[in-house]
Amino acid sequence: MIRQADSVTKLQSKSISSLIMWILLILVWFIAIIRFDEFGLATNRLGGHPAWSIAGAIAGTMTVVGISILIDYVPKVSEVLSLIGRGSLALLCIHMVEMNVFPWARMITALDVMFGHRMLWMMFFAIRLIMDLILVICLYHIPVVNAIFFPSLQKELNEPSRSK
């Protein structure tokens, strides 16, 4: 009886510690988002608050991984995200090309001088996301290219018909 009570107490203590850890991770992540000014690993820019940027990146990554683990327990959400994930390689490649082809930095700098507010970044993020998704849909319909980025399509074509 004492052993059972002891194990329940340890479990409760572990649950509380885990909850506090997740709250702290989310808090660090949001503080890093609020204090964000510039961060670019490709250009080795850590902004004005590099410690917050790095801590926020680690906390954000851990939070997203934790949320992903929880989502696995919700089958419908898990299935939808799995479908979206199948296009992530194409989205990454499109994003890399789009990022290097379009003069986004000049456009953002010019508009930031004209308007001078942070909503501009959200607007550009939305525009780029929509544009990238449209380009991924285009890749999906190009016969030779879609076999590279969407291997599930190739599997469907190679499987014999199961109709009787």
Side-chain angles (χ1 to χ4, degrees):
M1 187 75 145
I2 295 173
R3 282 186 173 168
Q4 186 178 13
D6 188 39
S7 65
V8 168
T9 304
K10 284 181 182 177
L11 181 62
Q12 288 172 342
S13 175
K14 186 177 179 181
S15 296
I16 291 170
S17 300
S18 181
L19 180 64
I20 291 170
M21 180 197 71
W22 285 110
I23 290 170
L24 287 174
L25 283 171
I26 292 168
L27 186 66
V28 167
W29 187 26
F30 281 118
I31 290 171
I33 289 169
I34 291 167
R35 297 184 64 127
F36 177 80
D37 56 357
E38 174 181 44
F39 190 82
L41 292 177
T43 56
N44 200 21
R45 290 188 323 247
L46 298 178
H49 310 286
W52 275 113
S53 296
I54 293 168
I58 293 169
T61 301
M62 290 179 70
T63 302
V64 168
V65 168
I67 291 169
S68 299
I69 291 169
L70 290 175
I71 286 174
D72 201 32
Y73 292 105
V74 184
K76 294 291 181 187
V77 175
S78 178
E79 289 171 18
V80 169
L81 290 176
S82 178
L83 283 171
I84 293 169
R86 291 182 190 148
S88 62
L89 175 62
L91 183 61
L92 173 67
C93 293
I94 287 290
H95 172 65
M96 296 305 294
V97 170
E98 162 263 317
M99 198 168 73
N100 291 311
V101 170
F102 290 98
W104 293 118
R106 283 190 226 134
M107 293 167 61
I108 288 175
T109 304
L111 290 173
D112 194 34
V113 168
M114 290 167 46
F115 299 109
H117 55 64
R118 288 186 180 248
M119 290 300 291
L120 179 69
W121 291 98
M122 287 185 238
M123 180 180 70
F124 262 95
F125 175 77
I127 289 168
R128 288 174 70 180
L129 180 64
I130 291 167
M131 186 177 78
D132 288 353
L133 290 175
I134 290 169
L135 291 171
V136 167
I137 292 168
C138 291
L139 271 183
Y140 186 83
H141 294 290
I142 299 173
V144 176
V145 177
N146 66 8
I148 297 168
F149 292 108
F150 304 98
S152 60
L153 287 176
Q154 195 64 31
K155 287 179 186 176
E156 290 173 11
L157 292 173
N158 291 338
E159 286 183 2
S161 178
R162 296 184 182 198
S163 60
K164 291 182 178 181

